[in-house]
Amino acid sequence: MTIRAKHLVGLLLAPLLGACLLAGCDSGPGGDDNDTSQSPRQRERARQVADAWRGSAAATAWSKGYYPMADAVQAPESGWHSKADERASENRNFTLRGELPAATAAKGKVGWPSGDTLTRPLWGAEQAYQSFALDDSTGARLTVTGAKLGTTTIATSRGTATVPAWLFTLDGYDTPLKRVAVTPSKLPRSPIGSTAQGSAGGLWSIPKLAGTAADGRSVTVEAAHGACDDGPVVRALETDESVVLYASVTGAKSGPCTAQMLMQDMKVELHEPLGDRVLLDAVTGRPVPYGQPGGPSPSWS
């Protein structure tokens, strides 16, 4: 294709893509006439969630808050020295040898490249340590020898932010383990209520965001399914303000089945980078959280 032809195709497709985001367009698995995991009722629920959030007070609050979308606990820059140390970190198996700073400021500042800033409550070193150190497993351990207050960067719903962080020195490591020290903003109340699991033609909620691609063109989420089906399917309804994910299962089989919930990571391709659009779950009508609410890296307080 010539450069002129490529340019012409771009000019023709750009308005269509813009119209897609304004009107809302679906992304995800497609093209299979035998796929019954998607229904008009599922898409309609996703549309209702997108419409409810558009221009809402919740959307305004979300756009002004601090919602981390990556791990609040960051490994040393050099990486873990061994598989044993990596397992110790995953198991949150730490030992404290020494003393942690007792006092610190009550507030810390979050800053974005745009110049926007936000002041948030600041965790003390002891609270930050306890968030990632369970200290109740056998096997390999990591030893913390001290801590000081510094900064780090973290992906948020508004892009990468510079935030205060506790820098924990580890025995045998030249660079510290970092733990973000400021608390996330309170999640705004959703402008739309939740719907029941399995409603709207078989919708299931999405409990967790596992990660976002560096270019923002895909997200990986945790989706649920049962023991007697072919697995989950996750689609996205994209608008200029939000991306609503709606999940279901495909290939459900009739007859006796063991009652168990299986979780699977699912990658969802997007038409446009996620950017600062809010990522929503069609079942709950709320933003999809990063991490578990009680874990070391929740999206919000």
Side-chain angles (χ1 to χ4, degrees):
M1 183 182 292
T2 66
I3 293 176
R4 179 177 176 80
K6 289 181 180 179
H7 180 63
L8 180 58
V9 169
L11 290 175
L12 291 172
L13 289 180
L16 294 177
L17 182 57
C20 175
L21 291 179
L22 287 174
C25 51
D26 289 287
S27 56
D32 185 356
D33 293 336
N34 296 319
D35 181 10
T36 58
S37 61
Q38 181 179 207
S39 75
R41 292 175 62 195
Q42 293 176 19
R43 293 194 300 275
E44 175 59 24
R45 170 61 185 181
R47 164 60 61 193
Q48 290 171 357
V49 172
D51 289 346
W53 273 81
R54 182 185 294 277
S56 67
T60 299
W62 177 266
S63 69
K64 296 180 179 179
Y66 162 61
Y67 302 101
M69 294 298 174
D71 283 333
V73 181
Q74 301 170 351
E77 292 178 7
S78 57
W80 298 116
H81 291 175
S82 65
K83 289 294 184 181
D85 284 359
E86 186 176 0
R87 285 195 300 272
S89 173
E90 291 173 352
N91 294 331
R92 300 166 67 178
N93 214 17
F94 290 81
T95 296
L96 178 60
R97 190 179 69 209
E99 295 185 359
L100 298 177
T104 187
K107 301 285 186 179
K109 183 176 290 186
V110 180
W112 287 270
S114 63
D116 291 343
T117 61
L118 186 66
T119 300
R120 296 295 304 155
L122 192 69
W123 279 14
E126 180 67 27
Q127 184 181 10
Y129 174 76
Q130 293 295 336
S131 73
F132 65 80
L134 293 180
D135 196 25
D136 62 355
S137 301
T138 58
R141 310 183 71 80
L142 289 160
T143 301
V144 173
T145 59
K148 66 178 181 179
L149 193 62
T151 62
T152 190
T153 58
I154 188 170
T156 77
S157 60
R158 299 163 61 180
T160 301
T162 300
V163 297
W166 284 105
L167 314 182
F168 291 93
T169 54
L170 298 176
D171 189 25
Y173 285 82
D174 295 330
T175 56
L177 177 149
K178 300 177 182 180
R179 204 300 177 189
V180 173
V182 286
T183 62
S185 297
K186 183 179 179 180
L187 184 67
R189 183 176 180 179
S190 175
I192 186 171
S194 63
T195 188
Q197 294 276 13
S199 64
L203 280 178
W204 289 87
S205 65
I206 298 172
K208 178 181 173 181
L209 172 67
T212 304
D215 61 3
R217 290 188 173 273
S218 68
V219 295
T220 300
V221 297
E222 199 174 73
H225 68 105
C228 297
D229 56 55
D230 293 334
V233 175
V234 183
R235 292 181 171 83
L237 176 72
E238 299 186 47
T239 74
D240 55 341
E241 294 182 5
S242 66
V243 175
V244 184
L245 300 180
Y246 55 110
S248 57
V249 298
T250 185
K253 301 171 180 63
S254 60
C257 184
T258 57
Q260 58 181 306
M261 181 78 73
L262 304 175
M263 307 306 296
Q264 182 175 333
D265 282 353
M266 299 293 294
K267 183 178 180 181
V268 184
E269 302 286 347
L270 303 177
H271 291 292
E272 282 286 280
L274 179 62
D276 58 2
R277 294 182 293 173
V278 57
L279 188 69
L280 300 166
D281 173 30
V283 170
T284 64
R286 297 167 49 148
V288 178
Y290 183 93
Q292 303 295 344
S297 299
S299 290
W300 48 76
S301 54

